[in-house]
Amino acid sequence: MIKKLIKTNEEWKRLLTKEQYKILREKATEVPGTCAFSTKQEGVFHCVACDNPLFISSTKFESGTGWPSFFEPYSPESIILRKDKSVGMTRTEVLCARCEGHLGHVFDDGPPPTYKRFCINGIVLKFVKGEKRK
Ligand SMILES: [Zn+2]
């Protein structure tokens, strides 16, 4: 089980940049293309707020959306999925399992083997080059 990292909004405001706070705590979406992580290097993408490993480079694919896209999480325990009906349609929200920060959404139009597309805001990811899945 993942050990939770729970902080108040005031504490998060001090730790995060304005853009990171808006996405993680207020569920905003970054402008597509601003942080798409075009890197092809091997490594692990962590949560910028709590350092939880979220996605691994080998599961990243080019979705053409302008947001970093992955076909599966680092591990099933890395993330939480929650129904989101905020914009008049039902989507599945992806949250960090450790700090419960908003990361993005998951859709069913991804590539094999999972056919999932985790559409994630790059601003809330921290890339650790050379790290491998534990
Ligand atoms: Zn987190």
Side-chain angles (χ1 to χ4, degrees), residues 47 49-50 52 96 98-99:
C47 173
C50 73
N52 185 28
C96 172
R98 183 150 191 256
C99 69

Side-chain angles (χ1 to χ4, degrees), residues 9-25:
N9 284 341
E10 284 311 308
E11 287 173 312
W12 283 125
K13 251 178 206 165
R14 280 199 296 273
L15 291 166
L16 301 168
T17 68
K18 209 180 253 182
E19 289 72 25
Q20 290 165 348
Y21 182 86
K22 266 204 235 162
I23 293 168
L24 287 163
R25 313 314 310 180

Side-chain angles (χ1 to χ4, degrees), residues 101-116:
H102 172 82
L103 303 172
H105 289 89
V106 60
F107 302 93
D108 290 324
D109 57 6
T114 64
Y115 300 96
K116 299 284 181 200

Side-chain angles (χ1 to χ4, degrees), residues 34-119:
T34 51
C35 198
F37 278 112
S38 59
T39 178
K40 294 272 183 264
Q41 288 169 314
E42 205 177 310
V44 174
F45 294 86
H46 290 249
C47 173
V48 80
C50 73
D51 209 29
N52 185 28
L54 297 170
F55 298 97
I56 190 156
S57 56
S58 57
T59 68
K60 188 173 178 297
F61 67 97
E62 191 43 69
S63 64
T65 59
W67 290 288
S69 303
F70 304 88
F71 61 73
E72 70 178 7
Y74 182 85
S75 84
E77 291 81 43
S78 305
I79 55 160
I80 303 170
L81 299 178
R82 194 177 283 168
K83 281 272 168 282
D84 170 15
K85 293 183 177 171
S86 62
V87 290
M89 53 176 169
T90 303
R91 296 181 295 170
T92 304
E93 184 188 359
V94 181
L95 300 115
C96 172
R98 183 150 191 256
C99 69
E100 298 189 359
H102 172 82
L103 303 172
H105 289 89
V106 60
F107 302 93
D108 290 324
D109 57 6
T114 64
Y115 300 96
K116 299 284 181 200
R117 172 170 58 94
F118 290 83
C119 184

